[in-house]
Amino acid sequence: MAGLITRRARRQRVFRWTVLTVLGVFFALPMVAMVEFSTRNDETWPLLLNWSQLSATYPELSTGIIASLGQAALTALLMLALLVPTAIWVRLRLPRLRPIVEFLCLLPLTIPAIVLVVGLAPVYAWVNYFVGGSSLTLVFAYTILVLPYAYRAIDTGLSAIDVRTLSEAARSLGAGWLTVIWRVVLPNIRSAVLSAAFLTVALVLGEFTIASLLHRTNLQVAIEFLGKSSATMSVAVSLAALLLAFVLLLALSLFGDRRQSSPSGERRQSSPSGGRRQSSLFGRRRQSSKESS
């Protein structure tokens, strides 16, 4: 029996490493090819790291980078401003609406980007009329696009804590609802909020369809235009964007693991002191009862 279990564990280990190796090669080969192609010209990466020279040589690319960074920052802020208070309020005051809110937030996953653009085109005609044709107006469309991922991250963070007990305790001490959300609930879901923000930044930096069909500029549209004139620079910028998204997701994973492991350590460290306090309190009570008798 022990030999059978050992052979099964060995086969599972071999299968696991085989799958990981195949997937690693599948994802690593395109990136290795991108590195090899982008380094054929010795001036590509030095030019990419020199912002002033890059802006002078490829102004469309620098404009697209600035536009994407602004879109990512504003989308993350707008998403958090809309979604975090709504998710907390629904959990506290309107729990029956939670399935409806979840359905509405996950709905963009079922709608292809091209269909979303067709629906947003008439809206953006009025946006152009009142606001103008700035690339930052894509923030409204991107906020809808990132709702499923951001909602899942924030909802997971809220599910990990007892929101109702925390809010009732804060309200019993005289805190208002804004104080409850800002100073009680929000610090406990900080990792979930950062997860939603990082996912938003990664999605916005990689979005192409909506910006291209709505005739706006962002990083991916600039890369597509740049590929017609300088293929090596286009591949280098694409590789840099992929590495940036990978670093963001890696930082998200490491930060989430640290946040999950720290509370257990704090509990382990605080439990002996708590036990000592309880025992000393019990001893004092026994001593006082003896003296009174």
Side-chain angles (χ1 to χ4, degrees), residues 108-177:
L109 279 178
T110 64
I111 303 175
I114 184 67
V115 178
L116 194 62
V117 170
V118 172
L120 289 174
V123 177
Y124 268 86
W126 288 100
V127 171
N128 292 339
Y129 180 76
F130 288 106
V131 181
S134 173
S135 298
L136 295 180
T137 56
L138 287 175
V139 168
F140 305 112
Y142 288 164
T143 303
I144 298 174
L145 193 65
V146 302
L147 273 180
Y149 311 97
Y151 175 80
R152 274 302 180 190
I154 294 173
D155 185 68
T156 302
L158 290 173
S159 300
I161 63 174
D162 193 350
V163 183
R164 186 172 297 277
T165 301
L166 290 173
S167 62
E168 289 177 355
R171 291 284 292 171
S172 65
L173 295 174
W177 283 113

Side-chain angles (χ1 to χ4, degrees), residues 5 57 199-200 227 238 276:
I5 295 176
T57 308
L199 289 173
T200 299
S238 300
R276 286 194 295 269

Side-chain angles (χ1 to χ4, degrees), residues 267-281:
R267 285 194 297 268
R268 286 194 297 268
Q269 294 176 1
S270 62
S271 57
S273 60
R276 286 194 295 269
R277 285 195 298 269
Q278 290 178 0
S279 61
S280 61
L281 179 61

Side-chain angles (χ1 to χ4, degrees), residues 187-188 190 257-277:
N188 287 281
R190 188 181 304 152
D257 293 340
R258 188 178 65 180
R259 291 285 298 177
Q260 290 175 3
S261 60
S262 59
S264 59
E266 292 175 357
R267 285 194 297 268
R268 286 194 297 268
Q269 294 176 1
S270 62
S271 57
S273 60
R276 286 194 295 269
R277 285 195 298 269

Side-chain angles (χ1 to χ4, degrees), residues 30-74:
M31 300 190 69
V32 171
M34 293 174 71
V35 172
E36 190 276 331
F37 183 78
S38 62
T39 53
R40 291 181 182 179
N41 188 351
D42 297 336
E43 299 179 356
T44 300
W45 284 100
L47 179 61
L48 186 61
L49 298 176
N50 190 345
W51 176 254
S52 59
Q53 189 176 358
L54 179 68
S55 301
T57 308
Y58 302 107
E60 295 85 2
L61 178 60
S62 61
T63 303
I65 293 174
I66 295 174
S68 286
L69 293 177
Q71 291 163 5
L74 291 178

